[in-house]
Amino acid sequence: MGERRYFGTDGIRGRANTHPMTPEVALRVGLAAGRMFMSSDDRRHLVVIGKDTRLSGYMIEPALVAGFASAGMDVLTFGPLPTPGVAMMTRSMRADIGVMISASHNAYLDNGIKLFGPDGYKLSDEVELKIESMMDEALDAGLAPPDKLGRVKRIDDSQARYIEIAKASFPKGLSLQGLRIAIDCANGAGYKVAPTTLYELGAEVFPVGVEPNGLNINADCGSTHPQALVEAVRTHRADIGIALDGDADRVIICDENGQIIDGDQIMAMVALDWARRGLLVGGGVVATVMSNLGMERALNAAGLTLERTQVGDRYVMERMRQGGFNMGGEQSGHIILHDYATTGDGLMSALQVLAVMVESGRAMSDLARQFEPVPQLLENVRFTSGRPLQDAGVKAAIAAAEARLVGVGRLLVRPSGTEKLIRVMAEGDDEALVKSVVAEVVAAVKAAG
């Protein structure tokens, strides 16, 4: 695969107003992607654009719009809408391409541009590389003639459409009547749609993180800072707490006692429930190499498989599509329910947890431990130069560690996709063994790097 200059593992991302998150790059993305998805037939071509609540979205969006319109594409802008909502609308409005402006769970300082194809899926590496190769062409290359420029409209009903789609994913005949739900929207893209959906399904809703000001997205709130949710659950004596991240594609749950429930427990709960009801397709779940061994054992005990991919929700989605699975996700709370969405959806995942809770009549704390997680330890080691994983000493340490864990655990050593870091993770039933194994590999990496 060619060298990526703009696109990383999840679209283009960086600090706002520094390369590559500048209006110029956004303009180039619009021009290149617009030209790429314009076919030669004479119909109007359409791009839909959503964003989260970051201040820099006001700068990135008009630049993208100008790029697409000058390539001859019509543009519909949605304003704040969850990432999965933009993916859905791309497909349901028959757009040629969808764009989400967001840096997900990062602070307001960052922003990003994610692209979806007409089918609502994130673009493949190949297509992204093709767009990249067109981005450095002259800014006046391939522009539309004056009578073929795109028209631009703001669409205000996209949030209402998304709410209806989300509500339709909740099992018919069930209601949230009588439930007290705290929801933290991270001052992000879900700040209107998520509380409204829960309210319309019958719940008493206590929202926090619903006052975005452009700078407070993910700031001490949302799924990456669950303390705000825990406090809301205690203050309002809620039956359950739900925390989304800034673009609402991931979720963390908290029980009525303030205990945090991660993506692995959520996946296990919903997968086992779906399997019992004959709704789970593919005979198992797709997760990443980071998911806990305890989840794998719980699924295996129920006759289900756990397929693992490298870290990144796009790799989970690819494996789900290849193997015909309808559920997959990450420990971080990125959960993909393929019956309803083409990418992670925090709100819809939360609705499935609520469905299990309502139907079983049990308290959240009672459902929270679907499996006993095995001790898991992750350490990041910074290095300055070279390729530590090629070092003979590191290879020997990894081989020795793997030998010690055979049958009782597993080891994972991988480079970070974005920084000069080696991530060393081990898990197993014996915590002392896990600690000792990680320490040995970390020491070898430090000695090499």
Side-chain angles (χ1 to χ4, degrees):
M1 202 172 82
E3 184 57 42
R4 294 164 149 300
R5 291 189 323 286
Y6 295 107
F7 286 92
T9 48
D10 199 11
I12 300 175
R13 196 175 282 189
R15 181 161 281 219
N17 232 9
T18 58
H19 186 84
M21 267 344 282
T22 59
E24 185 201 346
V25 172
L27 177 69
R28 289 182 181 279
V29 172
L31 277 167
R35 281 164 49 202
M36 169 127 193
F37 282 84
M38 289 280 290
S39 53
S40 53
D41 54 7
D42 206 20
R43 65 185 174 83
R44 302 296 302 181
H45 289 75
L46 177 65
V47 56
V48 295
I49 303 179
K51 61 180 178 179
D52 63 22
T53 56
R54 286 160 216 272
L55 180 60
S56 55
Y58 289 107
M59 167 186 82
I60 299 295
E61 185 183 63
L64 277 166
V65 168
F68 281 113
S70 66
M73 258 197 178
D74 289 344
V75 186
L76 296 179
T77 60
F78 293 146
L81 192 69
T83 293
V86 174
M88 262 167 224
M89 295 301 157
T90 306
R91 198 160 67 170
S92 89
M93 301 180 93
R94 292 181 61 189
D96 297 280
I97 188 166
V99 186
M100 177 66 181
I101 305 166
S102 175
S104 197
H105 53 279
N106 291 18
Y108 80 92
L109 293 163
D110 292 338
N111 214 333
I113 298 172
K114 290 182 209 190
L115 302 176
F116 296 98
D119 55 4
Y121 292 99
K122 289 182 179 174
L123 296 184
S124 68
D125 290 342
E126 292 71 37
V127 175
E128 283 185 350
L129 280 171
K130 218 177 255 180
I131 291 171
E132 268 198 356
S133 68
M134 295 164 70
M135 277 172 62
D136 289 331
E137 290 175 19
L139 285 174
D140 57 0
L143 298 182
D147 63 332
K148 294 278 193 288
L149 293 174
R151 295 174 185 276
V152 184
K153 258 212 311 257
R154 166 82 186 240
I155 292 285
D156 287 321
D157 75 340
S158 58
Q159 294 182 334
R161 287 173 78 144
Y162 175 71
I163 289 167
E164 289 308 321
I165 294 169
K167 281 161 62 180
S169 73
F170 191 68
K172 301 277 171 286
L174 291 188
S175 156
L176 299 179
Q177 210 89 43
L179 276 187
R180 295 169 68 86
I181 302 178
I183 181 156
D184 179 350
C185 299
N187 291 313
Y191 81 101
K192 279 188 183 159
V193 293
T196 304
T197 301
L198 296 171
Y199 174 79
E200 291 185 5
L201 286 169
E204 193 175 348
V205 185
F206 302 94
V208 291
V210 288
E211 294 174 359
N213 62 13
L215 306 178
N216 59 2
I217 187 170
N218 299 314
D220 299 322
C221 59
S223 62
T224 42
H225 303 90
Q227 206 41 49
L229 178 68
V230 170
E231 281 165 26
V233 165
R234 289 186 175 142
T235 305
H236 300 293
R237 302 185 316 284
D239 301 303
I240 184 175
I242 298 164
L244 307 174
D245 68 338
D247 69 336
D249 65 353
R250 62 165 80 176
V251 66
I252 293 294
I253 301 283
C254 156
D255 72 14
E256 74 278 11
N257 306 319
Q259 290 300 308
I260 298 297
I261 302 162
D262 70 8
D264 283 350
Q265 297 282 3
I266 295 171
M267 277 190 281
M269 182 192 315
V270 179
L272 293 169
D273 177 65
W274 280 17
R276 276 193 297 272
R277 296 196 287 149
L279 300 176
L280 193 70
V281 181
V285 173
V286 179
T288 75
V289 287
M290 296 304 290
S291 277
N292 197 283
L293 194 56
M295 169 163 97
E296 189 168 346
R297 289 173 179 168
L299 291 172
N300 292 165
L304 304 171
T305 57
L306 177 68
E307 296 233 0
R308 293 184 185 270
T309 71
Q310 66 191 89
V311 173
D313 59 324
R314 65 190 297 164
Y315 303 110
V316 173
M317 186 73 245
E318 272 168 27
R319 183 73 202 91
M320 287 171 68
R321 291 176 83 184
Q322 284 161 5
F325 294 88
N326 67 344
M327 187 182 301
E330 299 186 285
Q331 195 179 47
S332 61
H334 247 133
I335 297 165
I336 305 171
L337 306 169
H338 202 195
D339 293 0
Y340 307 113
T342 52
T343 182
D345 191 312
L347 176 59
M348 288 198 188
S349 304
L351 289 176
Q352 292 305 317
V353 171
L354 287 164
V356 175
M357 194 175 156
V358 169
E359 209 157 32
S360 67
R362 290 159 68 189
M364 197 62 229
S365 54
D366 201 19
L367 295 165
R369 295 293 263 212
Q370 293 290 319
F371 60 86
E372 211 45 59
V374 306
Q376 196 177 56
L377 181 63
L378 169 68
E379 274 198 40
N380 294 324
V381 193
R382 287 210 171 270
F383 64 94
T384 44
S385 62
R387 305 183 70 172
L389 295 185
Q390 309 294 321
D391 181 85
V394 173
K395 285 181 172 173
I398 289 173
E402 283 175 337
R404 291 174 67 192
L405 287 170
V406 166
V408 291
R410 63 189 187 99
L411 174 75
L412 177 69
V413 183
R414 65 184 184 95
S416 157
T418 49
E419 313 169 71
K420 287 205 157 189
L421 284 182
I422 301 291
R423 304 191 194 280
V424 181
M425 194 274 280
E427 61 176 352
D429 300 305
D430 178 346
E431 195 164 358
L433 172 63
V434 167
K435 281 181 179 162
S436 134
V437 158
V438 169
E440 279 173 28
V441 175
V442 165
V445 173
K446 280 181 175 162

